[in-house]
Amino acid sequence: LSVTASFSAATGTISNIEVIELAGVADQTVDADDAFAGVAKFVVSGTHGTADSVATYTINDVSSGVELTVSTVDTLSTDTAYDDVVTVALKTDGTADTGTVNVGSATAAALVGAINVNDLETLNLAVGSKDGSVVESLSATDATSVTMTGDGNVTLTAVDMKDATSTFNASAFTGNITATFSDAQTQTINTGSGADTVKISDAGLSAYDVFDLGDGADTLQILDVAAAVTATV
C-alpha cells in the first residue's frame, strides 16, 4: 500500500497489507500500531522535499522485528547536506529489540540525511549493490550490535551506537565503506574486503577498542587531534 499523506488511527485502519510505502512529497507520520496493525515492513521511497528543505518521515509504534527499506533520493542545490529524516519508534522499548534497515537497492542508491532507529539493540543494515548510497546520520543509540551486509559502495557520515560496549560488524561486506563513528566507551569495528575508510574522534578511543578492517587497501583516521592521524592498514 502506497501512502501519500499522514495516516493515523483517526484516519481509519487497514488490514491484510504486508508492506506500507511512504511515497508522499511532504512530511508524513504513520501509526503502525493502530492504523496499520500487524504490519512489520515499511518503505520510504522516491524523491522527497525540495532543494534545501527538510522532509521528515516518522513511523510510530512499530514492534521489534521491524524492517525498513530506505530508497529515497534527497535533493541538493546550494548546500552540501542531505536533509530527509526517517525515524522509526517502537511502541514498547524493550531491552532486546531487533530490526532491519535496507539502504538503496540493486538499481538505485539512497541519499538521505538521517535514519533514526534508536530503540533497537540489534540492527541489521543491508546495503544495495548500486554504488553511491549516503546516510549522513545513522542513529542507533540503544544498539550494542550493528551487522552490515551488501556490496555497494556506501558512505555513513555519522554512526552513533550505544555509549557502552558495542560492535559494528561489516566483515561480510564486499563494497567500499566510508564511515565516521561517534564517541563510545568500547567499540569493536570490523569491515570487509573493500577499500574501507574508518574515522573516529580521538576522544572516542580507549585501550579496549578493536579495529579489524579486513582485506583491501584500508584507512583508519583519528580525528580532532592537533593534526589528523591517518594509518593505512
PDB file of all heavy atoms in Angstrom, residues 32-74:
ATOM      1  N   ALA A  32       1.867   2.681  13.220  1.00  0.00           N
ATOM      2  CA  ALA A  32       1.927   1.263  12.860  1.00  0.00           C
ATOM      3  C   ALA A  32       1.113   0.381  13.785  1.00  0.00           C
ATOM      4  O   ALA A  32       0.812  -0.760  13.441  1.00  0.00           O
ATOM      5  CB  ALA A  32       3.381   0.796  12.872  1.00  0.00           C
ATOM      6  N   ASP A  33       0.749   0.875  14.948  1.00  0.00           N
ATOM      7  CA  ASP A  33       0.013   0.044  15.898  1.00  0.00           C
ATOM      8  C   ASP A  33      -1.484   0.066  15.632  1.00  0.00           C
ATOM      9  O   ASP A  33      -2.151  -0.966  15.687  1.00  0.00           O
ATOM     10  CB  ASP A  33       0.289   0.522  17.327  1.00  0.00           C
ATOM     11  CG  ASP A  33      -0.440  -0.323  18.351  1.00  0.00           C
ATOM     12  OD1 ASP A  33      -0.311  -1.561  18.302  1.00  0.00           O
ATOM     13  OD2 ASP A  33      -1.157   0.247  19.191  1.00  0.00           O
ATOM     14  N   ASP A  34      -2.041   1.220  15.341  1.00  0.00           N
ATOM     15  CA  ASP A  34      -3.480   1.344  15.150  1.00  0.00           C
ATOM     16  C   ASP A  34      -3.873   1.307  13.679  1.00  0.00           C
ATOM     17  O   ASP A  34      -4.623   0.437  13.245  1.00  0.00           O
ATOM     18  CB  ASP A  34      -3.993   2.651  15.790  1.00  0.00           C
ATOM     19  CG  ASP A  34      -3.841   2.626  17.302  1.00  0.00           C
ATOM     20  OD1 ASP A  34      -4.069   1.562  17.893  1.00  0.00           O
ATOM     21  OD2 ASP A  34      -3.478   3.664  17.870  1.00  0.00           O
ATOM     22  N   ALA A  35      -3.357   2.232  12.903  1.00  0.00           N
ATOM     23  CA  ALA A  35      -3.780   2.318  11.507  1.00  0.00           C
ATOM     24  C   ALA A  35      -3.323   1.107  10.707  1.00  0.00           C
ATOM     25  O   ALA A  35      -4.043   0.619   9.835  1.00  0.00           O
ATOM     26  CB  ALA A  35      -3.243   3.596  10.877  1.00  0.00           C
ATOM     27  N   PHE A  36      -2.131   0.614  11.002  1.00  0.00           N
ATOM     28  CA  PHE A  36      -1.561  -0.492  10.225  1.00  0.00           C
ATOM     29  C   PHE A  36      -1.140  -1.619  11.157  1.00  0.00           C
ATOM     30  O   PHE A  36      -0.017  -2.099  11.123  1.00  0.00           O
ATOM     31  CB  PHE A  36      -0.362  -0.011   9.409  1.00  0.00           C
ATOM     32  CG  PHE A  36      -0.698   1.116   8.467  1.00  0.00           C
ATOM     33  CD1 PHE A  36      -0.123   2.358   8.630  1.00  0.00           C
ATOM     34  CD2 PHE A  36      -1.593   0.929   7.423  1.00  0.00           C
ATOM     35  CE1 PHE A  36      -0.428   3.400   7.763  1.00  0.00           C
ATOM     36  CE2 PHE A  36      -1.896   1.962   6.553  1.00  0.00           C
ATOM     37  CZ  PHE A  36      -1.324   3.203   6.726  1.00  0.00           C
ATOM     38  N   ALA A  37      -2.054  -2.053  12.007  1.00  0.00           N
ATOM     39  CA  ALA A  37      -1.745  -3.083  12.996  1.00  0.00           C
ATOM     40  C   ALA A  37      -1.243  -4.350  12.315  1.00  0.00           C
ATOM     41  O   ALA A  37      -1.830  -4.837  11.357  1.00  0.00           O
ATOM     42  CB  ALA A  37      -2.986  -3.393  13.825  1.00  0.00           C
ATOM     43  N   GLY A  38      -0.119  -4.855  12.823  1.00  0.00           N
ATOM     44  CA  GLY A  38       0.423  -6.102  12.309  1.00  0.00           C
ATOM     45  C   GLY A  38       1.411  -5.952  11.180  1.00  0.00           C
ATOM     46  O   GLY A  38       2.068  -6.924  10.801  1.00  0.00           O
ATOM     47  N   VAL A  39       1.533  -4.760  10.608  1.00  0.00           N
ATOM     48  CA  VAL A  39       2.491  -4.562   9.522  1.00  0.00           C
ATOM     49  C   VAL A  39       3.900  -4.424  10.098  1.00  0.00           C
ATOM     50  O   VAL A  39       4.117  -3.666  11.045  1.00  0.00           O
ATOM     51  CB  VAL A  39       2.137  -3.318   8.688  1.00  0.00           C
ATOM     52  CG1 VAL A  39       3.184  -3.087   7.610  1.00  0.00           C
ATOM     53  CG2 VAL A  39       0.763  -3.483   8.064  1.00  0.00           C
ATOM     54  N   ALA A  40       4.839  -5.165   9.521  1.00  0.00           N
ATOM     55  CA  ALA A  40       6.219  -5.131  10.012  1.00  0.00           C
ATOM     56  C   ALA A  40       7.194  -4.565   9.000  1.00  0.00           C
ATOM     57  O   ALA A  40       8.352  -4.338   9.322  1.00  0.00           O
ATOM     58  CB  ALA A  40       6.667  -6.534  10.416  1.00  0.00           C
ATOM     59  N   LYS A  41       6.735  -4.330   7.744  1.00  0.00           N
ATOM     60  CA  LYS A  41       7.639  -3.859   6.704  1.00  0.00           C
ATOM     61  C   LYS A  41       7.181  -2.502   6.184  1.00  0.00           C
ATOM     62  O   LYS A  41       6.005  -2.324   5.833  1.00  0.00           O
ATOM     63  CB  LYS A  41       7.698  -4.859   5.552  1.00  0.00           C
ATOM     64  CG  LYS A  41       8.312  -6.194   5.933  1.00  0.00           C
ATOM     65  CD  LYS A  41       8.415  -7.117   4.723  1.00  0.00           C
ATOM     66  CE  LYS A  41       9.075  -8.437   5.099  1.00  0.00           C
ATOM     67  NZ  LYS A  41       9.227  -9.339   3.933  1.00  0.00           N
ATOM     68  N   PHE A  42       8.118  -1.563   6.132  1.00  0.00           N
ATOM     69  CA  PHE A  42       7.824  -0.204   5.686  1.00  0.00           C
ATOM     70  C   PHE A  42       8.899   0.240   4.697  1.00  0.00           C
ATOM     71  O   PHE A  42      10.067  -0.142   4.811  1.00  0.00           O
ATOM     72  CB  PHE A  42       7.782   0.761   6.874  1.00  0.00           C
ATOM     73  CG  PHE A  42       6.673   0.458   7.848  1.00  0.00           C
ATOM     74  CD1 PHE A  42       6.867  -0.465   8.867  1.00  0.00           C
ATOM     75  CD2 PHE A  42       5.442   1.070   7.718  1.00  0.00           C
ATOM     76  CE1 PHE A  42       5.855  -0.765   9.748  1.00  0.00           C
ATOM     77  CE2 PHE A  42       4.421   0.775   8.603  1.00  0.00           C
ATOM     78  CZ  PHE A  42       4.619  -0.146   9.624  1.00  0.00           C
ATOM     79  N   VAL A  43       8.494   1.057   3.739  1.00  0.00           N
ATOM     80  CA  VAL A  43       9.389   1.563   2.702  1.00  0.00           C
ATOM     81  C   VAL A  43       9.245   3.076   2.623  1.00  0.00           C
ATOM     82  O   VAL A  43       8.121   3.598   2.646  1.00  0.00           O
ATOM     83  CB  VAL A  43       9.055   0.938   1.328  1.00  0.00           C
ATOM     84  CG1 VAL A  43       9.925   1.556   0.234  1.00  0.00           C
ATOM     85  CG2 VAL A  43       9.216  -0.583   1.356  1.00  0.00           C
ATOM     86  N   VAL A  44      10.353   3.777   2.548  1.00  0.00           N
ATOM     87  CA  VAL A  44      10.350   5.209   2.232  1.00  0.00           C
ATOM     88  C   VAL A  44      11.054   5.349   0.900  1.00  0.00           C
ATOM     89  O   VAL A  44      12.225   4.983   0.758  1.00  0.00           O
ATOM     90  CB  VAL A  44      11.063   6.040   3.309  1.00  0.00           C
ATOM     91  CG1 VAL A  44      11.098   7.510   2.902  1.00  0.00           C
ATOM     92  CG2 VAL A  44      10.365   5.884   4.651  1.00  0.00           C
ATOM     93  N   SER A  45      10.324   5.868  -0.106  1.00  0.00           N
ATOM     94  CA  SER A  45      10.861   5.822  -1.466  1.00  0.00           C
ATOM     95  C   SER A  45      10.627   7.141  -2.189  1.00  0.00           C
ATOM     96  O   SER A  45       9.925   8.021  -1.710  1.00  0.00           O
ATOM     97  CB  SER A  45      10.193   4.685  -2.256  1.00  0.00           C
ATOM     98  OG  SER A  45       8.822   4.965  -2.440  1.00  0.00           O
ATOM     99  N   GLY A  46      11.223   7.218  -3.387  1.00  0.00           N
ATOM    100  CA  GLY A  46      11.002   8.362  -4.250  1.00  0.00           C
ATOM    101  C   GLY A  46      11.929   9.512  -3.942  1.00  0.00           C
ATOM    102  O   GLY A  46      12.856   9.418  -3.140  1.00  0.00           O
ATOM    103  N   THR A  47      11.671  10.632  -4.596  1.00  0.00           N
ATOM    104  CA  THR A  47      12.430  11.860  -4.373  1.00  0.00           C
ATOM    105  C   THR A  47      11.579  12.779  -3.534  1.00  0.00           C
ATOM    106  O   THR A  47      10.468  13.138  -3.907  1.00  0.00           O
ATOM    107  CB  THR A  47      12.780  12.536  -5.714  1.00  0.00           C
ATOM    108  OG1 THR A  47      13.559  11.628  -6.485  1.00  0.00           O
ATOM    109  CG2 THR A  47      13.573  13.811  -5.484  1.00  0.00           C
ATOM    110  N   HIS A  48      12.101  13.164  -2.375  1.00  0.00           N
ATOM    111  CA  HIS A  48      11.296  13.875  -1.395  1.00  0.00           C
ATOM    112  C   HIS A  48      11.821  15.278  -1.142  1.00  0.00           C
ATOM    113  O   HIS A  48      13.016  15.523  -1.175  1.00  0.00           O
ATOM    114  CB  HIS A  48      11.283  13.111  -0.069  1.00  0.00           C
ATOM    115  CG  HIS A  48      10.659  11.764  -0.178  1.00  0.00           C
ATOM    116  ND1 HIS A  48       9.333  11.578  -0.408  1.00  0.00           N
ATOM    117  CD2 HIS A  48      11.204  10.529  -0.125  1.00  0.00           C
ATOM    118  CE1 HIS A  48       9.062  10.285  -0.465  1.00  0.00           C
ATOM    119  NE2 HIS A  48      10.198   9.618  -0.305  1.00  0.00           N
ATOM    120  N   GLY A  49      10.902  16.164  -0.809  1.00  0.00           N
ATOM    121  CA  GLY A  49      11.263  17.520  -0.439  1.00  0.00           C
ATOM    122  C   GLY A  49      11.744  18.332  -1.625  1.00  0.00           C
ATOM    123  O   GLY A  49      11.771  17.879  -2.757  1.00  0.00           O
ATOM    124  N   THR A  50      12.070  19.558  -1.364  1.00  0.00           N
ATOM    125  CA  THR A  50      12.675  20.426  -2.369  1.00  0.00           C
ATOM    126  C   THR A  50      14.093  20.746  -1.929  1.00  0.00           C
ATOM    127  O   THR A  50      14.480  20.507  -0.789  1.00  0.00           O
ATOM    128  CB  THR A  50      11.870  21.725  -2.523  1.00  0.00           C
ATOM    129  OG1 THR A  50      11.787  22.375  -1.237  1.00  0.00           O
ATOM    130  CG2 THR A  50      10.466  21.428  -3.026  1.00  0.00           C
ATOM    131  N   ALA A  51      14.860  21.257  -2.822  1.00  0.00           N
ATOM    132  CA  ALA A  51      16.249  21.571  -2.508  1.00  0.00           C
ATOM    133  C   ALA A  51      16.326  22.473  -1.286  1.00  0.00           C
ATOM    134  O   ALA A  51      15.573  23.437  -1.150  1.00  0.00           O
ATOM    135  CB  ALA A  51      16.907  22.242  -3.705  1.00  0.00           C
ATOM    136  N   ASP A  52      17.247  22.115  -0.359  1.00  0.00           N
ATOM    137  CA  ASP A  52      17.493  22.890   0.859  1.00  0.00           C
ATOM    138  C   ASP A  52      16.327  22.864   1.841  1.00  0.00           C
ATOM    139  O   ASP A  52      16.235  23.704   2.727  1.00  0.00           O
ATOM    140  CB  ASP A  52      17.845  24.356   0.530  1.00  0.00           C
ATOM    141  CG  ASP A  52      19.028  24.452  -0.393  1.00  0.00           C
ATOM    142  OD1 ASP A  52      19.982  23.679  -0.205  1.00  0.00           O
ATOM    143  OD2 ASP A  52      19.002  25.282  -1.309  1.00  0.00           O
ATOM    144  N   SER A  53      15.383  21.922   1.712  1.00  0.00           N
ATOM    145  CA  SER A  53      14.304  21.792   2.681  1.00  0.00           C
ATOM    146  C   SER A  53      14.454  20.480   3.421  1.00  0.00           C
ATOM    147  O   SER A  53      15.214  19.601   3.023  1.00  0.00           O
ATOM    148  CB  SER A  53      12.941  21.845   1.987  1.00  0.00           C
ATOM    149  OG  SER A  53      12.734  20.667   1.231  1.00  0.00           O
ATOM    150  N   VAL A  54      13.729  20.345   4.533  1.00  0.00           N
ATOM    151  CA  VAL A  54      13.765  19.140   5.341  1.00  0.00           C
ATOM    152  C   VAL A  54      12.434  18.420   5.215  1.00  0.00           C
ATOM    153  O   VAL A  54      11.379  18.998   5.459  1.00  0.00           O
ATOM    154  CB  VAL A  54      14.048  19.471   6.820  1.00  0.00           C
ATOM    155  CG1 VAL A  54      14.022  18.202   7.660  1.00  0.00           C
ATOM    156  CG2 VAL A  54      15.394  20.180   6.960  1.00  0.00           C
ATOM    157  N   ALA A  55      12.470  17.180   4.799  1.00  0.00           N
ATOM    158  CA  ALA A  55      11.272  16.343   4.760  1.00  0.00           C
ATOM    159  C   ALA A  55      11.444  15.242   5.790  1.00  0.00           C
ATOM    160  O   ALA A  55      12.486  14.581   5.832  1.00  0.00           O
ATOM    161  CB  ALA A  55      11.071  15.755   3.371  1.00  0.00           C
ATOM    162  N   THR A  56      10.439  15.035   6.648  1.00  0.00           N
ATOM    163  CA  THR A  56      10.545  14.061   7.732  1.00  0.00           C
ATOM    164  C   THR A  56       9.497  12.975   7.559  1.00  0.00           C
ATOM    165  O   THR A  56       8.343  13.257   7.222  1.00  0.00           O
ATOM    166  CB  THR A  56      10.364  14.727   9.108  1.00  0.00           C
ATOM    167  OG1 THR A  56       9.081  15.360   9.171  1.00  0.00           O
ATOM    168  CG2 THR A  56      11.444  15.768   9.343  1.00  0.00           C
ATOM    169  N   TYR A  57       9.915  11.737   7.825  1.00  0.00           N
ATOM    170  CA  TYR A  57       9.048  10.576   7.679  1.00  0.00           C
ATOM    171  C   TYR A  57       9.159   9.765   8.960  1.00  0.00           C
ATOM    172  O   TYR A  57      10.234   9.260   9.297  1.00  0.00           O
ATOM    173  CB  TYR A  57       9.460   9.766   6.443  1.00  0.00           C
ATOM    174  CG  TYR A  57       9.421  10.647   5.216  1.00  0.00           C
ATOM    175  CD1 TYR A  57      10.547  11.370   4.832  1.00  0.00           C
ATOM    176  CD2 TYR A  57       8.246  10.831   4.509  1.00  0.00           C
ATOM    177  CE1 TYR A  57      10.498  12.240   3.752  1.00  0.00           C
ATOM    178  CE2 TYR A  57       8.197  11.695   3.432  1.00  0.00           C
ATOM    179  CZ  TYR A  57       9.324  12.398   3.055  1.00  0.00           C
ATOM    180  OH  TYR A  57       9.273  13.264   1.998  1.00  0.00           O
ATOM    181  N   THR A  58       8.036   9.673   9.686  1.00  0.00           N
ATOM    182  CA  THR A  58       8.034   9.085  11.020  1.00  0.00           C
ATOM    183  C   THR A  58       7.075   7.910  11.064  1.00  0.00           C
ATOM    184  O   THR A  58       5.904   8.038  10.694  1.00  0.00           O
ATOM    185  CB  THR A  58       7.629  10.124  12.071  1.00  0.00           C
ATOM    186  OG1 THR A  58       8.509  11.251  11.982  1.00  0.00           O
ATOM    187  CG2 THR A  58       7.695   9.538  13.470  1.00  0.00           C
ATOM    188  N   ILE A  59       7.576   6.776  11.534  1.00  0.00           N
ATOM    189  CA  ILE A  59       6.765   5.566  11.684  1.00  0.00           C
ATOM    190  C   ILE A  59       6.746   5.237  13.169  1.00  0.00           C
ATOM    191  O   ILE A  59       7.758   4.842  13.750  1.00  0.00           O
ATOM    192  CB  ILE A  59       7.348   4.407  10.864  1.00  0.00           C
ATOM    193  CG1 ILE A  59       7.484   4.814   9.396  1.00  0.00           C
ATOM    194  CG2 ILE A  59       6.468   3.162  11.001  1.00  0.00           C
ATOM    195  CD1 ILE A  59       8.333   3.862   8.573  1.00  0.00           C
ATOM    196  N   ASN A  60       5.592   5.415  13.793  1.00  0.00           N
ATOM    197  CA  ASN A  60       5.466   5.242  15.233  1.00  0.00           C
ATOM    198  C   ASN A  60       4.859   3.891  15.593  1.00  0.00           C
ATOM    199  O   ASN A  60       4.114   3.293  14.815  1.00  0.00           O
ATOM    200  CB  ASN A  60       4.583   6.346  15.817  1.00  0.00           C
ATOM    201  CG  ASN A  60       5.260   7.691  15.832  1.00  0.00           C
ATOM    202  OD1 ASN A  60       6.462   7.786  16.096  1.00  0.00           O
ATOM    203  ND2 ASN A  60       4.514   8.754  15.554  1.00  0.00           N
ATOM    204  N   ASP A  61       5.161   3.447  16.815  1.00  0.00           N
ATOM    205  CA  ASP A  61       4.504   2.288  17.444  1.00  0.00           C
ATOM    206  C   ASP A  61       4.710   0.989  16.690  1.00  0.00           C
ATOM    207  O   ASP A  61       3.812   0.150  16.618  1.00  0.00           O
ATOM    208  CB  ASP A  61       3.000   2.557  17.630  1.00  0.00           C
ATOM    209  CG  ASP A  61       2.725   3.603  18.684  1.00  0.00           C
ATOM    210  OD1 ASP A  61       3.650   3.911  19.459  1.00  0.00           O
ATOM    211  OD2 ASP A  61       1.600   4.122  18.736  1.00  0.00           O
ATOM    212  N   VAL A  62       5.901   0.792  16.131  1.00  0.00           N
ATOM    213  CA  VAL A  62       6.210  -0.485  15.497  1.00  0.00           C
ATOM    214  C   VAL A  62       6.602  -1.492  16.576  1.00  0.00           C
ATOM    215  O   VAL A  62       6.815  -1.146  17.743  1.00  0.00           O
ATOM    216  CB  VAL A  62       7.338  -0.358  14.458  1.00  0.00           C
ATOM    217  CG1 VAL A  62       6.972   0.654  13.387  1.00  0.00           C
ATOM    218  CG2 VAL A  62       8.645   0.019  15.132  1.00  0.00           C
ATOM    219  N   SER A  63       6.721  -2.753  16.167  1.00  0.00           N
ATOM    220  CA  SER A  63       7.144  -3.816  17.074  1.00  0.00           C
ATOM    221  C   SER A  63       8.576  -4.222  16.758  1.00  0.00           C
ATOM    222  O   SER A  63       9.097  -3.953  15.674  1.00  0.00           O
ATOM    223  CB  SER A  63       6.226  -5.030  16.929  1.00  0.00           C
ATOM    224  OG  SER A  63       4.888  -4.703  17.257  1.00  0.00           O
ATOM    225  N   SER A  64       9.207  -4.889  17.716  1.00  0.00           N
ATOM    226  CA  SER A  64      10.520  -5.465  17.476  1.00  0.00           C
ATOM    227  C   SER A  64      10.443  -6.398  16.279  1.00  0.00           C
ATOM    228  O   SER A  64       9.447  -7.086  16.077  1.00  0.00           O
ATOM    229  CB  SER A  64      10.981  -6.240  18.717  1.00  0.00           C
ATOM    230  OG  SER A  64      12.237  -6.846  18.507  1.00  0.00           O
ATOM    231  N   GLY A  65      11.488  -6.402  15.463  1.00  0.00           N
ATOM    232  CA  GLY A  65      11.487  -7.176  14.233  1.00  0.00           C
ATOM    233  C   GLY A  65      11.110  -6.382  13.013  1.00  0.00           C
ATOM    234  O   GLY A  65      11.024  -6.922  11.916  1.00  0.00           O
ATOM    235  N   VAL A  66      10.915  -5.080  13.162  1.00  0.00           N
ATOM    236  CA  VAL A  66      10.528  -4.206  12.060  1.00  0.00           C
ATOM    237  C   VAL A  66      11.580  -4.226  10.954  1.00  0.00           C
ATOM    238  O   VAL A  66      12.776  -4.379  11.214  1.00  0.00           O
ATOM    239  CB  VAL A  66      10.310  -2.768  12.568  1.00  0.00           C
ATOM    240  CG1 VAL A  66      11.596  -2.180  13.147  1.00  0.00           C
ATOM    241  CG2 VAL A  66       9.735  -1.866  11.486  1.00  0.00           C
ATOM    242  N   GLU A  67      11.123  -4.088   9.708  1.00  0.00           N
ATOM    243  CA  GLU A  67      12.023  -3.973   8.561  1.00  0.00           C
ATOM    244  C   GLU A  67      11.715  -2.682   7.822  1.00  0.00           C
ATOM    245  O   GLU A  67      10.582  -2.441   7.421  1.00  0.00           O
ATOM    246  CB  GLU A  67      11.868  -5.161   7.614  1.00  0.00           C
ATOM    247  CG  GLU A  67      12.807  -5.093   6.411  1.00  0.00           C
ATOM    248  CD  GLU A  67      12.739  -6.318   5.516  1.00  0.00           C
ATOM    249  OE1 GLU A  67      12.195  -7.348   5.966  1.00  0.00           O
ATOM    250  OE2 GLU A  67      13.216  -6.239   4.367  1.00  0.00           O
ATOM    251  N   LEU A  68      12.730  -1.856   7.656  1.00  0.00           N
ATOM    252  CA  LEU A  68      12.593  -0.563   6.985  1.00  0.00           C
ATOM    253  C   LEU A  68      13.485  -0.552   5.754  1.00  0.00           C
ATOM    254  O   LEU A  68      14.673  -0.871   5.836  1.00  0.00           O
ATOM    255  CB  LEU A  68      13.013   0.571   7.930  1.00  0.00           C
ATOM    256  CG  LEU A  68      13.140   1.969   7.321  1.00  0.00           C
ATOM    257  CD1 LEU A  68      11.775   2.510   6.910  1.00  0.00           C
ATOM    258  CD2 LEU A  68      13.829   2.921   8.293  1.00  0.00           C
ATOM    259  N   THR A  69      12.902  -0.176   4.622  1.00  0.00           N
ATOM    260  CA  THR A  69      13.677  -0.004   3.395  1.00  0.00           C
ATOM    261  C   THR A  69      13.688   1.474   3.031  1.00  0.00           C
ATOM    262  O   THR A  69      12.629   2.089   2.899  1.00  0.00           O
ATOM    263  CB  THR A  69      13.078  -0.821   2.238  1.00  0.00           C
ATOM    264  OG1 THR A  69      13.157  -2.219   2.573  1.00  0.00           O
ATOM    265  CG2 THR A  69      13.844  -0.576   0.944  1.00  0.00           C
ATOM    266  N   VAL A  70      14.873   2.042   2.891  1.00  0.00           N
ATOM    267  CA  VAL A  70      15.019   3.458   2.542  1.00  0.00           C
ATOM    268  C   VAL A  70      15.647   3.538   1.162  1.00  0.00           C
ATOM    269  O   VAL A  70      16.818   3.190   0.970  1.00  0.00           O
ATOM    270  CB  VAL A  70      15.874   4.209   3.570  1.00  0.00           C
ATOM    271  CG1 VAL A  70      16.017   5.680   3.166  1.00  0.00           C
ATOM    272  CG2 VAL A  70      15.261   4.102   4.961  1.00  0.00           C
ATOM    273  N   SER A  71      14.863   3.966   0.189  1.00  0.00           N
ATOM    274  CA  SER A  71      15.386   4.147  -1.167  1.00  0.00           C
ATOM    275  C   SER A  71      15.157   5.573  -1.648  1.00  0.00           C
ATOM    276  O   SER A  71      15.218   5.852  -2.837  1.00  0.00           O
ATOM    277  CB  SER A  71      14.732   3.150  -2.131  1.00  0.00           C
ATOM    278  OG  SER A  71      13.327   3.257  -2.098  1.00  0.00           O
ATOM    279  N   THR A  72      14.878   6.460  -0.694  1.00  0.00           N
ATOM    280  CA  THR A  72      14.625   7.849  -1.034  1.00  0.00           C
ATOM    281  C   THR A  72      15.876   8.528  -1.578  1.00  0.00           C
ATOM    282  O   THR A  72      17.003   8.189  -1.219  1.00  0.00           O
ATOM    283  CB  THR A  72      14.119   8.621   0.199  1.00  0.00           C
ATOM    284  OG1 THR A  72      13.808   9.961  -0.173  1.00  0.00           O
ATOM    285  CG2 THR A  72      15.142   8.638   1.302  1.00  0.00           C
ATOM    286  N   VAL A  73      15.673   9.480  -2.469  1.00  0.00           N
ATOM    287  CA  VAL A  73      16.756  10.305  -3.004  1.00  0.00           C
ATOM    288  C   VAL A  73      16.446  11.748  -2.650  1.00  0.00           C
ATOM    289  O   VAL A  73      15.468  12.321  -3.124  1.00  0.00           O
ATOM    290  CB  VAL A  73      16.893  10.141  -4.527  1.00  0.00           C
ATOM    291  CG1 VAL A  73      17.960  11.085  -5.064  1.00  0.00           C
ATOM    292  CG2 VAL A  73      17.228   8.697  -4.882  1.00  0.00           C
ATOM    293  N   ASP A  74      17.248  12.321  -1.767  1.00  0.00           N
ATOM    294  CA  ASP A  74      17.064  13.706  -1.351  1.00  0.00           C
ATOM    295  C   ASP A  74      17.616  14.637  -2.425  1.00  0.00           C
ATOM    296  O   ASP A  74      18.437  14.243  -3.247  1.00  0.00           O
ATOM    297  CB  ASP A  74      17.794  13.915  -0.026  1.00  0.00           C
ATOM    298  CG  ASP A  74      17.373  15.179   0.688  1.00  0.00           C
ATOM    299  OD1 ASP A  74      16.489  15.874   0.180  1.00  0.00           O
ATOM    300  OD2 ASP A  74      17.941  15.471   1.750  1.00  0.00           O
TER     301      ASP A  74
END
